[in-house]
Amino acid sequence: MSRGKTTRQILEEAGEGCGTPLYDSQAIAEMRASLEEWRNTVVPDGDRKNWRTTPRTIIGSGISVGMLYTPLDNPTLVYGRDIGYPGEEPYTRGIHANMYRGKTWTHRQLSGNGSPEYVNRRLKFLLDHGATGINLNFDLATIQMFDSDEEEADGMVATVGVPVDSIDDFEVIYKGIPIDKVSSSLVTHYPRNTAMLFPMYLVMAERRGVPWDTLTGSVQNDFIMESAVRSACEWIPPKDAFRVQCDNIEFIMKEVPRWNSATLNGYNLREFGTSGITEMAVALSNAMLTIDEMLRRGHDVDNTVRRLAFFWSIANNFFEEAARIRAVRRLWYRIMKHKYHARDQRSLWMRCHVQTSGVSLQREEPYNNIVRSAYHALAAVLGGVQSLHIDAYDEAYSVPGEESSLLGLRTQEIIEAETQVTGVVDPLGGSFYVEALTDEIERKIIDEIDEIEKIGGLPEAIEKGWLQQKVHQYILEEQRLIEDGVIKIVARNYYTGPQRMVPQITSQAYDARIRDAMIDKLKTLRRQRDNGKLSRCLDAIIEAGKGDGNITYACLEAVRAGATKGEIRRAFAKAFGAWRPKVVL
């Protein structure tokens, strides 16, 4: 890796070779003259004067577009350098030669809402109806790392996900599910949560006699989620959260080699309030920061990267969303090849899971959300993703019900089986518009990466309030555009009327009985375990955090001793102390 240079400088110096432009220079000159004549004689005056406009959508990127695209928008295009063939450099068209002809994307519908017993039944229901992977969501108490019996958990247990206090809950959730045959995406969000919950999953496998090297799946494990997106009453410093992220990666690389050690989470940052450009720039910056740290620890680039994945949000601007996936896949290839000199082909692949945009769904005429999510999903598929979740139409109100969850899964299956979009690899490739948009998005992502690096890196950008300020400004501007009607939302501020399609939607009611049952299990656990042994294990977590030991191994031993997530959280707090995000006004 080149030292002392920004990512932009490294990529600019590397180039990709000149190659032969796809378009003949004389043909380009003739087209430029004919296009100008057409614009001046055929195009209406208003459209000629406003040739470029800026599409405005929820969580859009604000990239201006021309009325028409021709080879003039990318006159130096070199096919092999800029587009290439799928399965080959630069991977613009996909990471596999045959893409969905060989294997379609994983149908991984998000699930987890209610008691561990109920979620076990829901997971089996989805698997029986065609889901090919598990995407497990945790409740608010678990995500905030509170035990179900803590005061802060009141009102949060079993809301928007499944509660997990200890390994015993994982055993219930996965009862009767072949964990060595079905991959699981554990939506752990934060590095600390990953260090608590993933060892619980592993010890559950251990108790079943399932070897860890047979397990496949992913954890999110993203310090941006904890330090910049999370709304909570306590944090640890961003640099320590990043350290835990890397401890988790190091542990997973060694102990669970087929597991994705981090799914760098652009999705939640974008849904929180950023453009699709910032989403990808921050995630790629995190990835590079992680690689640098793992190199410092003595690990090989290829071993580190082959199990890193990304998680993107897909929203309303159809062509932009497909082009974003193509652009970031090519950019990741260029970074891995020219900045880190990766040798393994898999290290050059940008592998991603995609979830359709939840904040784009509306309460007005919620059936319209079925259409929105279907277009989101189609854009993701045309962009070449590896895994997909489609948000249900009733998520604007509540956690989806069984019927709406099945409809989300059926939407994936219809796209796969009935639309025939899987028969051609990268069908949008070669579009004058899509290729020009792909190039522009890549340039804009590099611009933001450059801005982050000049600040001093992501932890510094968070500690100085740069990222929080960016989110704050974006949310305010988007809300203004919605109120002014610039961002058009059908049935909310556009095409409104007295008659609306309003289905009967049952919102989840908080069930205190689930919390009572979780508290009873905690009482039993604490009575039956060896609390002296547990105390020593929790002290080991504090010692590892204050020193340079890998804290994930210490968490694993605490889980084996019966630790709860709240007890591990408190050990983390003692090890790293408290931090408060910079207030942005």
Side-chain angles (χ1 to χ4, degrees):
M1 186 182 68
S2 302
R3 299 290 180 182
K5 296 181 180 179
T6 66
T7 300
R8 182 201 295 279
Q9 289 171 328
I10 293 169
L11 298 184
E12 286 177 349
E13 290 176 6
E16 293 286 351
C18 294
T20 303
L22 190 62
Y23 305 119
D24 178 76
S25 58
Q26 182 177 347
I28 287 291
E30 293 173 355
M31 184 178 297
R32 183 171 287 110
S34 64
L35 176 65
E36 191 63 24
E37 180 181 359
W38 172 78
R39 287 179 59 172
N40 290 330
T41 59
V42 178
V43 177
D45 289 345
D47 293 314
R48 187 169 62 252
K49 292 176 181 176
N50 298 291
W51 183 262
R52 295 194 72 85
T53 60
T54 301
R56 297 297 185 183
T57 61
I58 293 176
I59 58 174
S61 297
I63 297 174
S64 66
V65 297
M67 193 184 83
L68 182 74
Y69 282 77
T70 71
L72 296 175
D73 293 286
N74 199 346
T76 60
L77 177 75
V78 175
Y79 183 82
R81 178 193 67 194
D82 301 323
I83 304 177
Y85 298 107
E88 293 186 352
E89 301 177 7
Y91 301 104
T92 312
R93 311 198 72 178
I95 62 175
H96 302 297
N98 57 353
M99 285 302 289
Y100 303 138
R101 278 197 179 193
K103 179 183 178 183
T104 57
W105 62 92
T106 301
H107 299 183
R108 197 185 296 278
Q109 286 300 111
L110 192 64
S111 53
N113 177 49
S115 68
E117 293 78 8
Y118 172 79
V119 170
N120 174 258
R121 294 193 295 271
R122 174 68 71 87
L123 293 177
K124 291 176 179 176
F125 172 83
L126 289 171
L127 291 171
D128 289 343
H129 286 79
T132 54
I134 289 172
N135 201 8
L136 189 66
N137 209 32
F138 299 101
D139 74 349
L140 290 175
T142 301
I143 289 302
Q144 301 294 5
M145 295 168 278
F146 295 118
D147 286 336
S148 296
D149 61 355
E150 292 188 71
E151 182 179 356
E152 294 89 343
D154 189 18
M156 295 198 301
V157 176
T159 58
V160 307
V162 62
V164 172
D165 291 323
S166 73
I167 180 182
D168 296 339
D169 299 311
F170 265 116
E171 292 196 320
V172 174
I173 293 166
Y174 281 91
K175 183 178 181 180
I177 294 174
I179 58 175
D180 54 342
K181 295 181 174 62
V182 178
S183 69
S184 286
S185 171
L186 304 179
V187 188
T188 53
H189 291 314
Y190 321 129
R192 278 191 293 166
N193 237 342
T194 302
M196 300 172 197
L197 296 175
F198 189 50
M200 293 180 188
Y201 182 90
L202 294 178
V203 176
M204 177 265 295
E206 191 173 74
R207 289 181 179 180
R208 288 194 192 183
V210 177
W212 290 356
D213 60 6
T214 67
L215 299 175
T216 59
S218 61
V219 286
Q220 287 194 344
N221 188 31
D222 187 331
F223 90 101
I224 298 297
M225 282 292 299
E226 180 158 1
S227 302
V229 178
R230 177 177 179 233
S231 297
C233 55
E234 59 178 53
W235 291 261
I236 62 173
K239 290 180 180 179
D240 293 319
F242 174 70
R243 176 260 177 102
V244 178
Q245 173 181 308
C246 293
D247 281 359
N248 289 331
I249 291 171
E250 191 171 50
F251 169 86
I252 294 170
M253 284 170 55
K254 181 177 180 181
E255 304 295 343
V256 200
R258 298 179 64 195
W259 199 273
N260 289 333
S261 58
T263 305
L264 300 171
N265 184 349
Y267 180 92
N268 286 82
L269 177 62
R270 189 182 186 195
E271 296 278 299
F272 191 50
T274 62
S275 73
I277 300 299
T278 299
E279 171 194 20
M280 290 179 164
V282 169
L284 290 184
S285 296
N286 190 359
M288 289 186 282
L289 186 69
T290 299
I291 295 169
D292 293 342
E293 171 60 16
M294 298 309 288
L295 288 173
R296 188 193 68 79
R297 294 186 183 199
H299 295 282
D300 176 75
V301 167
D302 293 298
N303 287 336
T304 299
V305 172
R306 67 166 56 97
R307 284 297 170 187
L308 290 183
F310 295 88
F311 177 26
W312 307 126
S313 168
I314 293 290
N316 290 346
N317 193 331
F318 185 85
F319 289 108
E320 179 182 296
E321 296 302 334
R324 280 197 321 123
I325 301 298
R326 300 172 87 250
V328 75
R329 185 164 51 235
R330 183 172 66 194
L331 179 54
W332 179 247
Y333 149 77
R334 294 177 62 206
I335 289 170
M336 292 311 303
K337 179 176 182 179
H338 298 303
K339 183 172 184 177
Y340 293 104
H341 308 293
R343 295 183 178 87
D344 188 335
Q345 183 187 46
R346 287 182 62 91
S347 302
L348 307 176
W349 294 353
M350 191 285 297
R351 298 174 301 117
C352 64
H353 171 68
V354 160
Q355 182 174 339
T356 60
S357 172
V359 299
S360 299
L361 304 185
Q362 304 299 316
R363 291 190 173 191
E364 294 82 3
E365 296 186 4
Y367 280 144
N368 296 337
N369 294 332
I370 300 172
V371 181
R372 292 183 177 106
S373 292
Y375 280 125
H376 296 174
L378 182 59
V381 169
L382 294 178
V385 302
Q386 282 64 63
S387 176
L388 177 62
H389 162 80
I390 294 181
D391 285 347
Y393 71 87
D394 53 357
E395 288 193 47
Y397 285 87
S398 179
V399 174
E402 187 172 278
E403 184 180 75
S404 62
S405 292
L406 179 58
L407 182 58
L409 178 60
R410 290 294 188 235
T411 304
Q412 295 205 45
E413 293 166 347
I414 289 169
I415 291 173
E416 175 197 341
E418 298 185 21
T419 65
Q420 301 305 308
V421 296
T422 61
V424 176
V425 178
D426 187 31
L428 297 182
S431 158
F432 302 136
Y433 175 41
V434 170
E435 297 302 347
L437 191 56
T438 298
D439 289 350
E440 184 166 6
I441 289 170
E442 182 178 355
R443 286 192 295 270
K444 287 184 177 295
I445 295 172
I446 293 173
D447 286 344
E448 289 216 4
I449 290 173
D450 200 54
E451 188 175 354
I452 291 167
E453 290 178 346
K454 287 177 178 176
I455 292 171
L458 273 177
E460 289 80 4
I462 294 170
E463 290 179 353
K464 293 176 180 178
W466 175 86
L467 186 54
Q468 296 91 320
Q469 181 71 26
K470 199 170 188 68
V471 169
H472 178 74
Q473 291 174 344
Y474 187 91
I475 292 173
L476 287 179
E477 176 65 8
E478 180 180 80
Q479 186 59 36
R480 183 188 67 80
L481 293 173
I482 292 173
E483 291 173 358
D484 291 346
V486 177
I487 293 178
K488 294 179 172 62
I489 304 172
V490 171
R492 178 175 170 182
N493 66 3
Y494 192 65
Y495 290 125
T496 59
Q499 295 183 358
R500 301 191 173 190
M501 300 174 290
V502 182
Q504 183 176 356
I505 294 176
T506 303
S507 297
Q508 179 196 29
Y510 180 67
D511 190 345
R513 294 172 298 177
I514 298 177
R515 187 188 187 201
D516 292 341
M518 296 295 293
I519 291 173
D520 287 342
K521 285 196 290 185
L522 282 169
K523 290 177 179 177
T524 301
L525 171 68
R526 289 169 179 149
R527 185 174 61 250
Q528 293 179 344
R529 70 192 180 186
D530 184 339
N531 286 295
K533 179 180 179 181
L534 173 64
S535 180
R536 292 189 293 274
C537 288
L538 294 174
D539 287 342
I541 293 175
I542 298 169
E543 182 180 352
K546 289 182 175 180
D548 57 2
N550 186 303
I551 204 165
T552 315
Y553 283 96
C555 291
L556 174 66
E557 293 307 315
V559 166
R560 283 175 171 149
T564 68
K565 65 177 183 293
E567 291 163 340
I568 299 175
R569 184 196 83 248
R570 290 189 286 275
F572 271 98
K574 291 178 181 178
F576 297 117
W579 174 77
R580 284 283 183 265
K582 189 177 181 67
V583 176
V584 178
L585 299 176

